[in-house]
Amino acid sequence: MRLPRTRPRSLAGQLFAMQVVLIAAVVAGCAVFAYVSGSAQAEETAARQVRVAALAVADSPSVREAIRTPDPSAVLQPYAERVREDTGIAFVTIMDTERVRWTHPDTSQIGDTFLGNTAKALRGQTFTETYTGTLGPSIRVVTPIRDNGRIVGLVSAGITVDRVSSQVREQLGALALAAGGALALGGIGTYVINARLRRHTHGMNAAELSRLHDYHQATLHAVREGLLMLDGRRRIALINDAGRELLGLAPDTEAVGRTVDELALPAPLTGALLASEPRVDELHLTADRVIVVNTRPVVGGERRGTVVTLRDHTELQALTGELDSERGFTQALRSQAHEAANRLHTVVSLIELGRVEEAVDFATAELELAQVLTDRVVGAVEEPVLAALLLGKAAQANERGVELVLAEDSLIDDGALPPSLAQRDMVTILGNLIDNAVDAASEAPEDAEESGAAVPSPRLAGGPAGRARVTVTALADERELLLRVADTGAGIGPEAADEVFRRGWSTHGAGRGLGLALVRQAAHRNGGTVELDAGPDGGARFTVRLPLGDRTAGSAAGARAKEVTA
């Protein structure tokens, strides 16, 4: 039978076991060291104690007087016992120079020969030794007794090794209790710390944490959405590759640890990242992109940071603008189809009434007007995308009672624009500027609809003064492409000149105000500039200048396009 596979111990469990072993080893080492040092210290203390007692007895005058008497033991035995009891040592033995005892704790040993070495003492030295005598192994000191410079006896004071060992054992018991307490306290502290660590690591072991880190890094680099994490002090704690790209940060820029204010982002975007409340699908513009921002504060008793996701909305916004243009074109074509049907009915009715010449004149005039419109555009603007855009916008403007005028000095030769200048950017710039100009002109007090004038036919040149009008200039020379749009609207005041290109600025209420921001973004993306001033008709005039690069590739592409058109 196959045994179930056991799960490796968690990281917290491994650290706990390691710390317990380490603490136990440290405490055991300290105990052994304390025992060894305590034993040595106890022996040293015992030797010092018996040495002091032996020297005190040898220097006592009463001892020298007793030695001169015929029976020294009668005086010295009680004296030696009092010294032994007072000092707590094992024995005090006083003897003559022939090693015959005068005193001993065991009175039956008085008169017998002292067991031990006395040669050094007879030479006048005081020495310490460990010797096994009548009381067992003992630490003893032997010192001479002098009387007028002559050695008249010896004193040996000692303490048994068993008594020293018992003192060490008593100290070792207290040390064991202290070591046990330290081990218990260390174990409890280690358990508490590791329990907290276990909660933070969710019970995972080191291999699982390493694998999770690898997955985390791979996910950050693989995900296409930008991910940004800010700590409680608004500093960047984490940012992935997509986030760097969307925020326009160079790959070698050290972003982690910097505050959001140091990234030089647009003010609205910086405000959204620093906001304390959540932000959901907010649209913001950088120098080159339109991004959707979502923020969510991380709150756990206190503000711990913010999680930010970024999505690239540039392509979608461009497609939305193109879709809006297509819808406008469709509405204009529908209206023109309705108008053409009315004119066709008029021609048919004139023929049925027998007024053929008038019918021919009416139809010819309409055809000439439409042909003039097309010829004017194609003759001045040979760039097919811009030409189509101008024709469509002329129809849209006509539906709103605004005349779209192409300036006389407009001229863009076929192939004048290099391939590096994206057609989508040209549509974004010119289309948004014309739409805003038509809105402004159609709302002016002097527009044709409010004055009761007839709705003009779509034109791209000249018009009666006082009629709502938008003038477009499209000119390309050797160095740059000039796109200028002026209207007859109310204009833009100087106080708003710096705000018109900010996302959300609009005179048409909420939900608008993205067109001019996209114009500036497209111009910046192609290395160009956008300027705003007052137009000759009193309205606003926007001028976009885009530098042109290598003309060779553009001319070749234009030649191929001309062949296809032919």
Side-chain angles (χ1 to χ4, degrees):
M1 184 179 67
R2 188 175 182 179
L3 296 176
R5 185 177 180 181
T6 59
R7 184 173 181 268
R9 186 184 296 272
S10 67
L11 178 62
Q14 294 176 9
L15 290 177
F16 176 72
M18 184 183 302
Q19 290 173 349
V20 167
V21 172
L22 180 61
I23 291 176
V26 170
V27 171
C30 291
V32 171
F33 174 78
Y35 173 76
V36 173
S37 62
S39 298
Q41 185 177 6
E43 291 179 0
E44 182 180 356
T45 302
R48 188 166 52 249
Q49 182 180 5
V50 295
R51 183 183 182 89
V52 170
L55 291 175
V57 171
D59 292 337
S60 175
S62 60
V63 172
R64 289 194 292 271
E65 292 177 358
I67 293 175
R68 299 190 194 105
T69 63
D71 187 9
S73 295
V75 178
L76 295 179
Q77 175 66 16
Y79 173 76
E81 286 300 303
R82 287 197 304 271
V83 172
R84 182 182 66 81
E85 293 174 358
D86 292 340
T87 58
I89 60 180
F91 64 89
V92 176
T93 301
I94 305 174
M95 68 198 83
D96 60 15
T97 56
E98 299 297 329
R99 301 169 55 188
V100 177
R101 301 188 188 100
W102 287 328
T103 65
H104 195 276
D106 183 5
T107 55
S108 63
Q109 300 292 331
I110 297 175
D112 292 338
T113 303
F114 174 76
L115 300 179
N117 299 313
T118 60
K120 293 181 180 180
L122 292 174
R123 293 196 298 268
Q125 300 178 9
T126 301
F127 67 95
T128 304
E129 66 174 353
T130 300
Y131 192 86
T132 302
T134 58
L135 300 178
S138 62
I139 300 172
R140 60 179 62 181
V141 173
V142 181
T143 185
I145 302 174
R146 289 182 174 85
D147 188 6
N148 296 323
R150 185 171 59 87
I151 298 177
V152 296
L154 303 176
V155 177
S156 176
I159 186 171
T160 60
V161 174
D162 290 339
R163 182 175 297 183
V164 175
S165 300
S166 65
Q167 294 176 355
V168 173
R169 285 193 294 271
E170 293 177 359
Q171 295 176 358
L172 185 60
L175 178 63
L177 291 177
L183 181 62
L185 184 61
I188 294 174
T190 302
Y191 176 80
V192 172
I193 293 174
N194 283 274
R196 184 175 182 181
L197 179 61
R198 187 181 298 107
R199 288 196 303 269
H200 288 313
T201 58
H202 301 285
M204 291 185 290
N205 56 45
E208 291 172 335
L209 288 174
S210 178
R211 186 165 55 252
L212 182 63
H213 176 267
D214 294 339
Y215 290 156
H216 174 266
Q217 293 296 323
T219 302
L220 285 180
H221 291 289
V223 70
R224 295 301 304 163
E225 282 194 353
L227 179 62
L228 184 68
M229 295 185 182
L230 307 177
D231 61 15
R233 300 175 62 182
R234 305 300 198 278
R235 295 178 304 185
I236 297 176
L238 183 145
I239 184 171
N240 66 346
D241 296 341
R244 287 178 175 271
E245 182 180 357
L246 293 177
L247 294 180
L249 301 179
D252 56 347
T253 301
E254 183 61 35
V256 176
R258 299 173 60 185
T259 61
V260 176
D261 297 333
E262 298 176 3
L263 300 181
L265 300 175
L269 178 56
T270 301
L273 297 180
L274 297 179
S276 57
E277 68 278 359
R279 301 293 180 94
V280 179
D281 291 341
E282 281 195 1
L283 205 63
H284 289 272
L285 276 77
T286 63
D288 301 316
R289 296 179 182 273
V290 180
I291 59 177
V292 178
V293 178
N294 286 273
T295 67
R296 174 73 62 179
V298 180
V299 180
E302 60 181 8
R303 182 182 178 87
R304 297 182 178 178
T306 305
V307 177
V308 182
T309 60
L310 308 170
R311 295 199 308 271
D312 192 353
H313 205 259
T314 306
E315 296 294 329
L316 181 58
Q317 189 63 41
L319 292 175
T320 302
E322 292 180 7
L323 179 59
D324 292 340
S325 298
E326 294 296 334
R327 288 175 178 172
F329 295 157
T330 303
Q331 294 175 359
L333 290 175
R334 186 182 297 114
S335 178
Q336 288 184 357
H338 181 72
E339 186 67 18
N342 291 335
R343 292 167 184 167
L344 183 60
H345 287 307
T346 302
V347 172
V348 172
S349 299
L350 289 173
I351 294 175
E352 290 177 349
L353 293 174
R355 307 181 71 168
V356 178
E357 294 183 359
E358 295 181 4
V360 172
D361 292 339
F362 180 80
T364 302
E366 291 297 325
L367 289 175
E368 289 177 352
L369 181 61
Q371 189 62 39
V372 167
L373 174 67
T374 303
D375 292 343
R376 176 75 181 101
V377 173
V378 175
V381 181
E382 297 186 16
E383 175 62 38
V385 174
L386 293 182
L389 178 65
L390 289 172
L391 289 173
K393 293 300 182 182
Q396 286 180 298
N398 176 64
E399 292 300 316
R400 300 185 61 179
V402 178
E403 184 181 15
L404 187 63
V405 178
L406 183 63
E408 294 294 338
D409 59 344
S410 297
L411 179 61
I412 299 180
D413 294 331
D414 191 10
L417 303 182
S420 59
L421 184 58
Q423 295 179 345
R424 175 174 292 176
D425 288 341
M426 291 189 295
V427 171
T428 297
I429 293 172
L430 193 56
N432 281 288
L433 290 180
I434 292 177
D435 288 340
N436 288 343
V438 170
D439 288 341
S442 64
E443 295 174 358
E446 66 274 18
D447 87 10
E449 291 182 352
E450 291 186 4
S451 62
V455 175
S457 298
R459 298 185 57 192
L460 289 173
R467 177 172 295 174
R469 183 172 64 255
V470 173
T471 303
V472 179
T473 303
L475 177 62
D477 58 18
E478 295 293 331
R479 296 176 301 172
E480 66 179 11
L481 170 64
L482 172 68
L483 299 176
R484 178 178 290 142
V485 178
D487 60 69
T488 58
I492 298 175
E495 68 281 356
D498 295 334
E499 296 292 324
V500 294
F501 297 105
R502 178 176 55 83
R503 184 196 68 82
W505 187 93
S506 176
T507 59
H508 299 86
R512 302 290 297 274
L514 189 60
L516 291 178
L518 292 176
V519 168
R520 184 178 65 173
Q521 186 186 81
H524 179 273
R525 187 162 50 243
N526 291 277
T529 60
V530 184
E531 299 176 358
L532 168 63
D533 58 0
D537 298 323
R541 181 173 65 179
F542 291 87
T543 303
V544 179
R545 300 178 186 273
L546 302 177
L548 300 181
D550 186 7
R551 297 291 299 276
T552 303
S555 300
R560 289 193 297 271
K562 185 176 289 185
E563 291 177 1
V564 174
T565 304

